[in-house]
Amino acid sequence: MPGHPVQIGSRLFASKSVAKSYVSMEILHAYAPGTPITDPDHIDTLFDILRRKPNAAEKIGTGVEHFYVTHTSEFRRYVRPDALTIAIHRSTGNDVDLGYGKAIDNSSEVDHAKDALRHAVQDLRDSFKFSHFGSGSPAYDEEGIELSSHDDSEVRYRQPSWGKLTGDFADSEGGWMNIETHSGGGSDPLVGRRLVSESQRDRWRDYYRAHAVPVLSRKAGH
């Protein structure tokens, strides 16, 4: 049976296992041990993963200075000497293991809300992406690298990140608990979540148009 889609940062993954594979391949094994993680998309993804944890406030402490890759043996005994993990360096100077695998496994109502918000503006995201390929001129990502087609590109966000964009909208609605979602019902369930309130959907689309700063980026693995 296929897994349920999971939204992390600005990306929608087909399942939690796909999400974990992305973090492993694109973040964990993209940095040398001891190296701070600097890519804004990677940082946004890791903060979103961190907020999934029941003990997120304890993990964050007085603040996250940066994330970095390190050997798992720094935090756990009886592991392979070459095993790697992602750690949090806190502003107090002490470090803790992020534990991204278990965090991704944690599903919450916030995940459902973010999935519904993504779906509500998917047409706007698609319009932005396809507008770069419809003129016959070459399309480029934010670093100036040519993209061969819309299939090897995806929409990401800068200032604010997708996590901040959706979080600030949730705050304007009185918190995540006030964003109700559904997944259809009966014999015709939907893939992913949808917003219950049409008026809230309209407010979100207006907020997105006013505050989102999308950029075109090369899709991971392309």
Side-chain angles (χ1 to χ4, degrees):
M1 180 181 295
H4 295 290
V6 58
Q7 179 85 36
I8 298 177
S10 61
R11 290 185 175 85
L12 180 68
F13 298 95
S15 67
K16 291 176 181 178
S17 63
V18 173
K20 285 187 277 189
S21 293
Y22 167 82
V23 175
S24 175
M25 297 301 296
E26 300 295 331
I27 303 179
L28 181 65
H29 291 95
Y31 296 84
T35 304
I37 292 167
T38 55
D39 184 284
D41 288 311
H42 294 166
I43 294 169
D44 184 37
T45 296
L46 295 177
F47 266 116
D48 204 47
I49 290 171
L50 173 58
R51 295 185 189 105
R52 290 168 170 266
K53 300 184 75 67
N55 63 339
E58 179 184 341
K59 288 271 187 181
I60 293 170
T62 58
V64 175
E65 193 73 26
H66 61 260
F67 298 97
Y68 69 99
V69 171
T70 188
H71 289 98
T72 308
S73 57
E74 183 177 337
F75 304 104
R76 277 179 273 168
R77 299 172 65 187
Y78 310 119
V79 295
R80 296 194 329 268
D82 60 342
L84 297 175
T85 190
I86 296 172
I88 303 166
H89 181 69
R90 298 186 288 198
S91 57
T92 51
N94 59 331
D95 301 347
V96 292
D97 188 7
L98 171 60
Y100 72 87
K102 289 183 179 179
I104 290 174
D105 285 335
N106 290 334
S107 182
S108 71
E109 291 304 312
V110 173
D111 298 324
H112 294 330
K114 287 185 176 182
D115 185 29
L117 292 175
R118 179 201 57 77
H119 184 272
V121 295
Q122 190 59 50
D123 62 317
L124 303 179
R125 289 160 53 90
D126 288 342
S127 290
F128 173 80
K129 181 165 76 168
F130 288 115
S131 68
H132 289 75
F133 295 95
S135 64
S137 300
Y140 299 91
D141 67 9
E142 58 180 326
E143 297 177 350
I145 300 173
E146 185 173 351
L147 299 166
S148 59
S149 74
H150 59 80
D151 290 329
D152 69 352
S153 67
E154 61 184 357
V155 177
R156 299 184 189 173
Y157 298 87
R158 294 282 185 265
Q159 306 292 326
S161 67
W162 177 257
K164 181 167 177 54
L165 184 71
T166 54
D168 286 352
F169 174 74
D171 288 344
S172 74
E173 295 288 301
W176 286 109
M177 72 290 294
N178 291 322
I179 299 181
E180 296 184 60
T181 71
H182 70 92
S183 59
S187 60
D188 190 27
L190 301 169
V191 176
R193 308 291 293 193
R194 306 290 188 273
L195 294 174
V196 169
S197 169
E198 286 297 319
S199 60
Q200 188 171 65
R201 178 180 181 274
D202 292 340
R203 290 194 298 275
W204 162 236
R205 286 173 66 85
D206 288 342
Y207 187 93
Y208 180 92
R209 290 188 182 98
H211 299 284
V213 184
V215 296
L216 203 61
S217 184
R218 183 172 299 279
K219 188 178 294 184
H222 286 247

